[in-house]
């Protein structure tokens, strides 16, 4: 079998790349190791930058997002006794949207612009340094297959084969804490997200819909979710989010999902080797505190699609040649911002660090310059800046 672009991975990066290429008349085939149901059911983050919403709308994926998503003007930052709203619209003229990654995945599948081979195995890339790379794999029926292409796009996340096929410098930072994340069938107790610093640890109040809340607690690495019964979770969320402060109440409800998410920062450079191009989690991982993971994947494939369409439709390799540098500019900006939010808001027990964190929080919530810096990064810079 032959195609122009062999895409490995049917997560948001792979499916959106296929959508963008198909719209531009470039052939692509997507190879995915899991089932369609599994890929669609994964619970992931839920914040879209303005530039992501603009892009999805521009390419025909904005209807349900705009109908069912929620546009937010900003976020709340808090520490014991104080809660401050950062208004991104006043500071930068930009907003963010609450719309689960699971919903974006559903919209991409519904668009029907991806030819996906699900439940494949033994995915291996070959001859990526030549003009005729190919992928071998075993299909869902157990038959060995070969997919020839002009280009391979590695959108196979942090555990896929593509990243190991790119000789690269790697940069990594791990963190001595994780997030205990819950999904709960209860109306959110806040109109916009609350990021809370607390001596007991960080807490985040997010949401999925007017009836479903998503909340997180900083916990030690290796925490067993079973060691956190529901009552203990709500009690600790109430403590860290300021239940009772200025009359504000956190309303508990039935918890439908509970998981512990370790966090790290990881970047590998370059994001291209010959005719193998990496995008999304295959090339970089950010801790979720800056809400950048999905938005970075969208930005990567937007740049990559533009570059590949120029190669196939205009025989120009200018954007292909600069793809890795162009993508990495945003990757490092978002990697820094995600590290900065994470180290500002998670406590490690050192009293000097705690005072530095509180001083930084007081600065970003009282200085227009400080607040604008956070807002600009959180709401996101235009794709390709
Ligand atoms: N062969 C085929 N597919 C594979 C292989 C393989 N050997 N290994 C992994 N995959 C698939 C995974 O099953 C997954 O569906 O690649 C896909 C990668 O998707 P994601 O992990 O969602 O990565 P990406 O599309 O880059 O999206 C990044 O997802 O994890 C969040 O926070 C992250 O929001 C960010 C977004
Ligand atoms: C989420 O809604 O899951 C979410 C929101 C903001 C973050 C991380 C996760 O920073």
């Amino acid at each position: 079998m032959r195609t122009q672009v062999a895409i490995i991975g049917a997560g948001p990066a792979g499916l959106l790349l296929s959508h963008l290429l198909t719209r531009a008349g470039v052939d692509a085939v997507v190879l995915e190791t899991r089932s369609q149901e599994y890929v669609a059911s994964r619970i992931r983050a839920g914040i879209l930058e303005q530039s992501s919403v603009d892009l999805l709308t521009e390419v025909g994926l904005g209807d349900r997002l705009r109908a069912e998503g929620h546009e937010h003007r900003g976020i709340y930052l808090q520490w014991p006794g104080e809660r401050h709203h950062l208004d991104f619209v006043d500071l930068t003229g930009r907003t963010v949207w609450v719309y689960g990654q699971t919903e974006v995945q559903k919209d991409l599948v519904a668009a029907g612009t991806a030819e996906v081979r699900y439940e494949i195995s033994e995915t291996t890339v070959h001859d990526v340094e030549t003009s005729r790379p190919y992928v071998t794999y075993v299909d869902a029926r157990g038959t060995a297959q070969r997919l020839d292409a002009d280009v391979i796009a590695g959108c196979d996340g942090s555990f896929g084969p593509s990243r190991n096929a790119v000789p690269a410098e790697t940069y990594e930072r791990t963190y001595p804490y994780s997030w205990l994340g819950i999904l709960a069938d209860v109306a959110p107790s806040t109109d916009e997200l609350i990021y809370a610093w607390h001596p007991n640890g960080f807490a985040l109040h997010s949401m999925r819909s007017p009836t479903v809340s998503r909340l997180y607690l900083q916990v030690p690495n290796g925490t067993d979710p079973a060691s956190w019964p529901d009552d203990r979770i709500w009690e600790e969320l109430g403590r860290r989010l300021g239940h009772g402060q200025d009359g504000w109440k956190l309303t508990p409800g039935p918890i439908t999902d509970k998981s512990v998410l370790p966090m790290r920062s990881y970047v590998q450079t370059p994001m291209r080797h010959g005719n193998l191009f990496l995008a999304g989690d295959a090339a970089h991982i950010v801790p979720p505190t800056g809400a950048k993971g999905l938005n970075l994947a969208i930005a990567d494939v937007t740049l990559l699609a533009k570059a590949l369409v120029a190669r196939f439709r205009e025989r120009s390799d200018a954007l292909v040649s600069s793809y890795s540098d162009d993508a990495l500019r945003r990757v490092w900006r978002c990697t820094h911002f995600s590290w900065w939010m994470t180290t500002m808001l998670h406590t490690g027990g050192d009293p000097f660090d705690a005072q530095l964190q509180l001083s930084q929080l007081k600065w970003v919530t009282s200085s227009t310059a400080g607040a604008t810096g956070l807002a600009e990064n959180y709401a996101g810079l235009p794709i390709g800046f």
Side-chain angles (χ1 to χ4, degrees), residues 2 5 28 30 64 83 89 133 145 199 209 214 223 228 262 274 287 309 325 345 350 377 383-384:
R2 161 160 279 284
V5 183
V30 183
R64 205 166 68 91
R83 178 181 292 173
V89 179
Q145 298 285 357
S209 74
R214 177 77 167 145
T223 293
W228 279 82
V309 170
D325 291 345
L345 288 160
D350 179 303
N377 281 279
I383 293 178

Side-chain angles (χ1 to χ4, degrees), residues 75-88:
I75 60 170
Y76 296 97
L77 275 180
Q78 83 169 53
W79 56 96
E82 298 211 24
R83 178 181 292 173
H84 298 266
H85 186 256
L86 266 68
D87 191 298
F88 300 163

Side-chain angles (χ1 to χ4, degrees), residues 171-371:
Y171 304 82
E172 184 160 18
R173 174 67 48 89
T174 55
Y175 299 87
Y177 35 71
S178 297
W179 279 7
L180 171 67
I182 64 165
L183 212 53
D185 284 342
V186 61
S189 301
T190 178
D191 59 341
E192 297 194 340
L193 274 59
I194 304 172
Y195 286 80
W197 182 94
H198 190 278
N200 292 10
F202 170 71
L204 168 63
H205 189 330
S206 181
M207 68 270 304
R208 287 291 174 273
S209 74
T211 58
V212 176
S213 294
R214 177 77 167 145
L215 299 105
Y216 300 93
L217 280 172
Q218 172 189 343
V219 293
N221 286 340
T223 293
D224 174 2
S227 68
W228 279 82
D230 296 6
D231 294 351
R232 182 184 174 201
I233 292 175
W234 285 114
E235 197 191 318
E236 190 56 26
L237 281 167
R239 188 173 294 118
R240 296 185 193 180
L241 289 165
H243 176 75
Q245 184 184 303
D246 305 327
W248 180 79
K249 297 223 171 331
L250 174 68
T251 309
I255 293 177
T256 56
D257 186 84
K258 200 185 287 186
S259 58
V260 170
L261 318 160
M263 55 177 78
R264 67 189 174 119
S265 299
Y266 175 90
V267 179
Q268 77 167 58
T269 66
M271 288 172 61
R272 175 204 177 181
H273 181 57
N275 280 313
L276 173 59
F277 297 79
L278 302 182
D281 280 16
H284 44 74
I285 300 286
V286 288
T289 328
K292 290 296 171 212
L294 175 58
N295 294 294
L296 259 181
I298 292 172
D300 285 351
V301 296
T302 303
L303 292 177
L304 183 55
K306 272 205 185 95
L308 295 178
V309 170
R311 165 181 277 193
F312 291 119
R313 308 301 306 264
E314 294 133 35
R315 302 253 160 271
S316 158
D317 258 14
L319 292 176
V320 160
S321 310
S322 67
Y323 165 69
S324 181
D325 291 345
D326 294 344
L328 282 166
R329 216 174 15 256
R330 190 188 196 86
V331 169
W332 278 114
R333 176 87 306 282
C334 293
T335 299
H336 170 269
F337 176 65
S338 304
W339 163 85
W340 181 71
M341 286 285 279
T342 301
T343 51
M344 176 168 69
L345 288 160
H346 290 75
T347 48
D350 179 303
F352 184 76
D353 283 344
Q355 291 308 321
L356 290 179
Q357 290 173 321
L358 288 168
S359 164
Q360 194 159 232
L361 283 164
K362 289 170 185 166
W363 176 64
V364 293
T365 54
S366 59
S367 143
T368 304

